[in-house]
Amino acid sequence: MKPFPSRVDTDLVIRNLIYSVLYASMILAFFSYLLWPLILKFKSQYVQERREKIIYTEIKKNYDASVQRLGDFVINNSPSFTKLNNQKAFDEMQALVKEYLQVKSLKRIAESTQEDDQTRSVTYAFVAETKQVEKIWQLMDRLTSLQASAVIKPPVRIQRASMRSSTYEIAFSLELRYSTYQTPAHLQAILAQSSSKHEKSANTDSSAESTQSQNPIQPKATESNEHSTNSAESSSAR
């Protein structure tokens, strides 16, 4: 066993202490001036990205919900939009009137644009003849099924062509309404996408219904099988 040294080398201890202090100072300086700012910067960026991601997720959810509501609104009101956007409404309306009445004259008497609801109204004055007064009421009923926004405006004047004539002369005004709204390109893409999704869903439902109708559930033959088994057992017993 070596004896414990009675004399300590103070110079060596002081030198090691100085080196230790310098080494610790260098590590502390590196951490304080280089590493710590990077940690703070990374933390700030992480918090900012996290906040932006939360905001984006919320905005995206609201946007998707708005697109879904818009698509549902357009699909549920597609008959009305089709009527307002029908550019052949006048020809269809004129053909329908001629189907019920004999048109004597037709004039375009008024046209106006409603900026609030972005529509344009055109009013036509008809003078027609018929031998059956109920034709005008049948025409009014058929206007509701026309692929156009058309309505007969009062008053409707009905009188005989002459005292002894069986022909009635009918004068009335008919208003057609068109849409002046120009759908933006990005909105058209959204509506087209919503419409395609709705059509796919409808086709899927119809396919499932047709499959069920073609493959009805066969009734179980349990009772008939049991009856056959009992008959066979009684025959063998005899």
Side-chain angles (χ1 to χ4, degrees):
M1 183 176 179
K2 294 182 179 181
F4 187 80
S6 60
R7 184 176 177 275
V8 178
D9 191 352
T10 55
D11 294 337
L12 180 60
V13 173
I14 293 173
R15 191 183 305 115
N16 291 336
L17 182 61
I18 292 173
Y19 288 156
S20 299
V21 171
L22 291 176
Y23 181 73
S25 300
M26 291 175 62
I27 293 177
L28 184 61
F30 173 78
F31 183 80
S32 300
Y33 293 98
L34 294 177
L35 190 59
W36 183 249
L38 291 177
I39 293 175
L40 293 178
K41 184 178 180 181
F42 173 78
K43 183 178 179 181
S44 177
Q45 290 179 351
Y46 174 78
V47 172
Q48 182 68 20
E49 291 177 359
R50 182 71 176 175
R51 184 184 298 113
E52 291 176 356
K53 185 177 181 180
I54 293 174
I55 295 174
Y56 170 79
T57 303
E58 189 67 23
I59 294 175
K60 182 70 166 53
K61 183 173 67 175
N62 294 333
Y63 174 78
D64 293 340
S66 300
V67 171
Q68 182 66 31
R69 288 196 300 269
L70 177 61
D72 294 341
F73 175 79
V74 172
I75 292 171
N76 294 333
N77 296 275
S78 57
S80 300
F81 291 134
T82 302
K83 290 182 178 182
L84 289 174
N85 293 318
N86 187 6
Q87 300 301 321
K88 297 181 180 180
F90 174 76
D91 296 334
E92 296 177 3
M93 175 268 297
Q94 189 176 11
L96 181 63
V97 173
K98 289 181 178 180
E99 183 179 342
Y100 287 89
L101 304 173
Q102 182 179 356
V103 179
K104 294 177 61 178
S105 65
L106 170 61
K107 293 181 180 179
R108 188 177 191 172
I109 59 175
E111 181 176 354
S112 61
T113 301
Q114 291 76 30
E115 297 294 340
D116 295 338
D117 53 2
Q118 296 182 335
T119 57
R120 178 172 61 92
S121 299
V122 182
T123 304
Y124 299 91
F126 283 86
V127 177
E129 288 182 345
T130 183
K131 292 185 178 181
Q132 299 176 351
V133 181
E134 61 270 13
K135 290 287 186 180
I136 186 64
W137 316 124
Q138 296 174 3
L139 174 61
M140 291 182 180
D141 293 336
R142 279 291 304 278
L143 282 176
T144 58
S145 61
L146 188 68
Q147 291 299 316
S149 179
V151 59
I152 293 179
K153 301 178 63 176
V156 178
R157 183 173 57 85
I158 303 175
Q159 62 181 15
R160 289 184 180 272
S162 63
M163 293 296 296
R164 297 182 178 180
S165 176
S166 60
T167 303
Y168 293 89
E169 184 179 85
I170 303 175
F172 61 92
S173 298
L174 197 149
E175 181 186 72
L176 287 178
R177 181 167 292 187
Y178 303 89
S179 174
T180 60
Y181 176 72
Q182 299 295 328
T183 307
H186 70 280
L187 187 56
Q188 290 180 359
I190 293 174
L191 295 178
Q193 184 178 5
S194 300
S195 178
S196 62
K197 289 182 179 179
H198 180 74
E199 290 178 357
K200 289 181 180 179
S201 177
N203 293 334
T204 303
D205 295 340
S206 61
S207 299
E209 291 178 357
S210 62
T211 303
Q212 291 179 358
S213 61
Q214 293 176 0
N215 299 314
I217 298 174
Q218 298 295 332
K220 295 183 179 180
T222 304
E223 296 181 356
S224 60
N225 292 336
E226 291 179 353
H227 180 71
S228 301
T229 303
N230 295 331
S231 300
E233 291 178 353
S234 60
S235 301
S236 61
R238 291 177 182 177

